[in-house]
Amino acid sequence: MSLIMDLLVINLFAYFLPINLEEPVLFHIYITGGWVIFSLRNGFYRIHRYTKVPIIFRKIFTQFFYFFLILFAFIGFFKQPLMSRYALAQYFALVMLTVGIAKLVTYIFLMQYRGNLKGNLRNVVVIGKNKKTDQLISVFKERTEFGYNFLKQFSPSTLEFDMIETLNFIKQNKVDEIYCSISELKNEELTAFINFADNNLKTLKFIPDNKNIFAKKLKFEYYDYIPVLSLRDIPLHNPINAFLKRSFDVIFSLIIIFGLLSWLIPLLAIIITVESKGPVFFRQSRNGIDNREFYCYKFRSMAPNKDADNHSATKNDMRITKVGKFIRKTSIDELPQFYNVLFGTMSVVGPRPHMVKHTNEYATSVDKYMVRHFVKPGITGLAQVRGYRGEIEQEMDILNRTKFDIFYIENWSMFLDLKIMVQTVLNAIKGEAKAY
């Protein structure tokens, strides 16, 4: 949201001053692209609840230093002798003041909201009892503006520590983040916490009081002056990446809805209802981001039946109609999910959402299965283009699907999304063995 507001500011303010734009469209594309690129490079929107004010000032200075360079470079790059340098300098100053003040005000407002109104809180527990864990707990309690609600401290080095009770406490009290002191955990205990966090959508972080952990590729953060390490860094949790992916989703879904579904829906509505009585669309409750349930839409490909929400389609399934067999083979039945994408419950590319019943089953039987729910589900995904689509016939199917989904989540890029989309189209054209 901050990125959108800033882009509106830098584009709209260009009309408040007599800059004498000869190529306004080119100018807007240029400054928008430049702003986004340098925002990514400088981490301008990577502001956390524990970020210090001097760091925010540094980000503002760095961002506007580069913005100043690209702004005045526009005159030379695109031969704009009539542009007013003075008006351009005024424009730069106005944008810098507006964006900078807005960023600081938002930061202060959120700090006050967390500290005084106790909103936007994160429930946390600390595993370990030593000097650094006590310092971190002091930060949680004293720096209320960070918005951490400290619930309990567990000491693995005492006889009273019980792993099962600890994990049950975390579940029952809806803990959001777990902070572990590495030096006090045995290897099997550390593995247990990692697996538990992955399978229950909990954020796991480490307090680095063991020098050996610095050899691993982990993400550093500072809470006041206390170093904390994160085990998993998810690219789509970066605001810029999330904005780019969401922007692409909205634009692409609108193209499909107006360019294809606007005439395909009436045509298929007639064909589907002529063959079998019932609704044109089939909706099913599935699990999305953060394991939240949503309705996933498809063209109805089966005769209405009471088992639709409990049993996935199988090969030679008698419930599938003649037109249903065709639209499933060509993946046309999935096209209404572009409405899900437009509404924000799905993405074009991501882990495929499963029925609620199956999610509940796999959450307990497949290790790290719940990691799939750290991002929005997709119409297509890496697992699907690698051959793991459709019916789960054996255990290795869901294990490999989960493996590819986690790889996608941890290695996301727009290029990877585009590659998956192209492969999806190619697979649909040549046909797939499990498209039934």
Side-chain angles (χ1 to χ4, degrees), residues 12-41:
L12 292 178
F13 279 23
Y15 294 99
F16 291 169
L17 296 163
I19 300 175
N20 296 330
L21 291 174
E22 296 181 32
E23 301 287 345
V25 174
L26 178 63
F27 178 78
H28 290 302
I29 294 173
Y30 175 79
I31 60 169
T32 299
W35 182 272
V36 171
I37 290 170
F38 285 113
S39 295
L40 283 169
R41 183 186 182 280

Side-chain angles (χ1 to χ4, degrees), residues 290-306:
D290 295 330
N291 205 29
R292 294 194 296 264
E293 291 185 24
F294 72 98
Y295 283 115
C296 179
Y297 291 91
K298 291 185 174 187
F299 284 119
R300 181 172 60 83
S301 58
M302 296 182 179
N305 65 94
K306 61 182 180 180

Side-chain angles (χ1 to χ4, degrees), residues 102-147:
K103 198 171 191 68
L104 289 170
V105 168
T106 302
Y107 174 81
I108 293 169
F109 170 78
L110 287 174
M111 286 292 192
Q112 294 298 316
Y113 178 62
R114 298 184 192 114
N116 298 328
L117 300 178
K118 306 303 178 186
N120 189 223
L121 297 181
R122 301 283 289 175
N123 292 329
V124 301
V125 296
V126 174
I127 312 299
K129 175 65 178 173
N130 54 56
K131 184 178 179 180
K132 287 196 174 181
T133 58
D134 290 344
Q135 288 175 337
L136 182 62
I137 291 170
S138 295
V139 171
F140 288 151
K141 291 180 176 179
E142 295 170 9
R143 302 296 299 272
T144 55
E145 69 274 18
F146 286 174

Side-chain angles (χ1 to χ4, degrees), residues 10 15 22 47 67 76 134 183 186 198 208 211 218 221 268 318 377 382 396 408 421 425:
I10 66 174
Y15 294 99
E22 296 181 32
I47 304 295
F67 185 63
D134 290 344
S183 64
K186 300 174 185 176
D198 282 343
K211 63 182 180 181
L218 299 174
E221 299 165 333
L268 280 178
M318 297 300 293
L382 181 61
M396 286 307 297
Y408 170 81
M421 290 171 62
V425 173

Side-chain angles (χ1 to χ4, degrees), residues 38 56 76 91 106 117 164 170 197 203 207 209 266 272 288 312 320 333 352 357 379 410 414:
F38 285 113
I56 296 177
Y91 163 75
T106 302
L117 300 178
I164 296 176
I170 293 171
T203 299
I207 306 166
D209 42 12
I272 290 172
S312 298
I320 300 176
D333 65 318
R352 280 295 296 165
K357 176 187 175 184
I379 296 177
E410 294 182 336
M414 281 304 303

